[in-house]
Amino acid sequence: MALVKHNNNSISAVTSVNLTQGKMTLIKEQTASSSSSISFVDGSSSVVLDNTYPIYLFKFINIHPSSSAIFSFQTSTNGGSSYGVTATTVFFRAQQTEAGSDATLAYDTNMDLAQSTGNAYLGRPVLTDNDASLCGTLHFFNLSSNTFTKHYTYNNSVMGNYCQNAFGAGYFNTTSPIDAVKFQFESGNIDSGTIKLFGIKGS
Amino acid sequence: MSIVKLNNRSVKDVTAFGSITSLGSLTHIATQTASSSASISFTSGIDSTYKEYIFYFVNIHPQTDSSSAETALVFQVDTGTNTNYNQTITSTYFRSQHDESASSPALGYRTSGDQAQGTGFQNLAEGQGADNDQSLSGTLHLFDPSNTTFVKHFLSNVTYSHHGDYTMNAYVGGYVNTTTALTRVQFKMTNGNIDSGQILLFGLN
């Protein structure tokens, strides 16, 4: 019998096969366009931020400000009606200038929080140069827990006055589920850039 | 000739399209949930299938607070079907910290957390708290454990609540100094049980 060779058209009706399924799922992608903020709210615009996933991962792709400012975030326990959950955080960074004149690794007390409801910082100010931006990742763990505080870690690369490799972590000191996350610059808009939200889970 | 169109049913037993055998690069291998567990061991699924294995820790809650004795999540590895968990490790440990009263922010190396050709369990944290809402979350990457040429590198980044109400962010890196394939990993607390929490193991190619 002659071999029947299928092509893309002949398998266009196939929507699932018995292949090994990847376990990191893209939930939502938002692109900034002179945006004052970008929010991910559970149950809104196809966003999932509940017990579906034990781990959530945000990826920042070329986040560019309208004015040089710190990129930051806060969370909500009431579906985004208000943002300002008490947090305690750490921040340290490695940095170097383009002139190679100031390479350091240090903790930065201007960038952390101690039981504060202010915005949690994601790196030192990003420049407005056309080629300047911030890229990196932010992990959240078990946002829907009714027992534990809500941990996060991030690692971002920032083009500011320095080339900065920013590290941060901490916890939102609440045992209520967190169901919304908002990103913004401390002043001005998010001129451009993409934020992707992934969910990671086992079976 | 009319086109033969396939549907889901006609391809339900297909497990590969040409060279494509997976729809994603992050594949779940196993999840274990602690329940007053003396240790949690992953004794299968770690082989040459993946070049990188990632353990995700979700709300690892210790039974014993560090105010009475040092408590920390630690790990070791072993080869073949061995269960000694005493491979030789050289590692680094540094962390940043900040307490809820903002009195002691710090970044520093901790010699108490590293090993130099040691065979003990490797710290992933130090001084964990056991209040009801305190826990540890983060990741441990184990690279190419089946390689028989190179030592086995690992990297960890965890955040957790210190018993003194600090938020802690610990970075651990190093290598298991063996060219024998690693096949298993065990986690436990330095003091008391793992009261609760989940460890998820993924493979990444």
Side-chain angles (χ1 to χ4, degrees):
Chain A
M1 189 179 80
L3 178 66
V4 177
K5 284 209 167 185
H6 296 282
N7 56 30
N8 288 344
N9 191 26
S10 68
I11 62 171
S12 62
V14 176
T15 57
S16 69
V17 290
N18 191 29
L19 302 187
T20 303
Q21 183 81 47
K23 293 302 180 184
M24 191 166 91
T25 303
L26 176 62
I27 297 170
K28 183 73 176 179
E29 176 177 332
Q30 297 196 59
T31 300
S33 178
S34 300
S35 309
S36 59
S37 64
I38 290 180
S39 299
F40 292 82
V41 179
D42 180 50
S44 174
S45 302
S46 304
V47 171
V48 176
L49 279 176
D50 58 15
N51 62 2
T52 303
Y53 300 95
I55 302 145
Y56 287 93
L57 168 63
F58 289 95
K59 287 184 178 282
F60 310 119
I61 312 296
N62 288 328
I63 305 299
H64 180 75
S66 63
S67 58
S68 182
I70 290 171
F71 191 51
S72 66
F73 74 105
Q74 246 292 355
T75 62
S76 170
T77 59
N78 55 18
S81 295
S82 63
Y83 291 88
V85 179
T86 301
T88 296
T89 72
V90 298
F91 178 92
F92 69 95
R93 84 296 183 267
Q95 64 185 28
Q96 169 68 297
T97 66
E98 293 185 357
S101 59
D102 191 9
T104 58
L105 170 68
Y107 192 97
D108 188 341
T109 56
N110 295 313
M111 298 289 289
D112 63 14
L113 299 175
Q115 293 298 88
S116 170
T117 57
N119 291 332
Y121 297 158
L122 291 164
R124 294 292 293 174
V126 185
L127 292 178
T128 57
D129 296 14
N130 287 340
D131 61 353
S133 64
L134 174 150
C135 293
T137 58
L138 167 66
H139 281 89
F140 275 104
F141 298 89
N142 205 6
L143 285 176
S144 65
S145 172
N146 287 296
T147 303
F148 297 108
T149 62
K150 308 305 182 297
H151 290 287
Y152 71 86
T153 65
Y154 69 81
N155 179 206
N156 294 326
S157 180
V158 182
M159 181 176 175
N161 290 324
Y162 294 82
C163 167
Q164 183 172 92
N165 190 0
F167 299 87
Y171 52 80
F172 287 92
N173 201 353
T174 179
T175 55
S176 299
I178 283 176
D179 55 8
V181 181
K182 182 170 75 174
F183 300 94
Q184 61 190 26
F185 278 103
E186 288 299 279
S187 63
N189 291 333
I190 307 173
D191 201 40
S192 62
T194 300
I195 302 178
K196 294 183 175 184
L197 170 61
F198 295 87
I200 298 172
K201 67 176 181 179
S203 55
Chain B
M1 187 181 82
S2 62
I3 190 168
V4 177
K5 282 219 169 190
L6 304 179
N7 57 29
N8 289 345
R9 182 167 175 74
S10 64
V11 299
K12 69 181 179 59
D13 294 327
V14 171
T15 57
F17 274 111
S19 61
I20 302 171
T21 56
S22 173
L23 295 177
S25 58
L26 188 67
T27 302
H28 176 246
I29 297 171
T31 295
Q32 296 201 51
T33 301
S35 179
S36 299
S37 307
S39 64
I40 289 180
S41 301
F42 290 83
T43 58
S44 63
I46 299 173
D47 52 31
S48 61
T49 305
Y50 300 99
K51 291 293 186 184
E52 179 180 354
Y53 289 82
I54 306 174
F55 295 91
Y56 279 90
F57 310 115
V58 180
N59 292 141
I60 303 298
H61 179 70
Q63 174 193 42
T64 306
D65 193 275
S66 293
S67 58
S68 59
E70 180 68 17
T71 298
L73 182 67
V74 295
F75 83 100
Q76 247 288 4
V77 297
D78 219 331
T79 61
T81 57
N82 296 313
T83 56
N84 297 315
Y85 294 105
N86 60 354
Q87 295 295 305
T88 301
I89 291 174
T90 295
S91 62
T92 63
Y93 185 110
F94 70 95
R95 56 87 184 105
S96 62
Q97 67 178 43
H98 192 209
D99 78 344
E100 293 183 358
S101 61
S103 60
S104 52
L107 168 66
Y109 193 95
R110 297 280 297 174
T111 56
S112 53
D114 69 11
Q115 295 198 70
Q117 296 295 87
T119 56
F121 275 70
Q122 174 61 47
N123 277 61
L124 296 172
E126 289 184 325
Q128 286 182 244
D131 293 358
N132 286 340
D133 64 350
Q134 293 182 324
S135 66
L136 172 149
S137 298
T139 57
L140 168 65
H141 297 248
L142 179 62
F143 298 93
D144 206 4
S146 67
N147 192 295
T148 55
T149 301
F150 297 107
V151 299
K152 311 304 184 298
H153 291 277
F154 59 87
L155 289 170
S156 176
N157 173 20
V158 302
T159 181
Y160 64 97
S161 299
H162 188 269
H163 70 90
D165 292 339
Y166 293 71
T167 185
M168 306 291 291
N169 186 197
Y171 291 81
V172 178
Y175 53 82
V176 183
N177 200 353
T178 179
T179 55
T180 303
L182 303 180
T183 57
R184 43 190 57 196
V185 179
Q186 184 177 82
F187 300 93
K188 65 180 184 179
M189 308 303 299
T190 51
N191 185 38
N193 292 334
I194 305 174
D195 200 42
S196 63
Q198 279 195 325
I199 303 177
L200 295 79
L201 172 59
F202 294 86
L204 181 64
N205 265 333

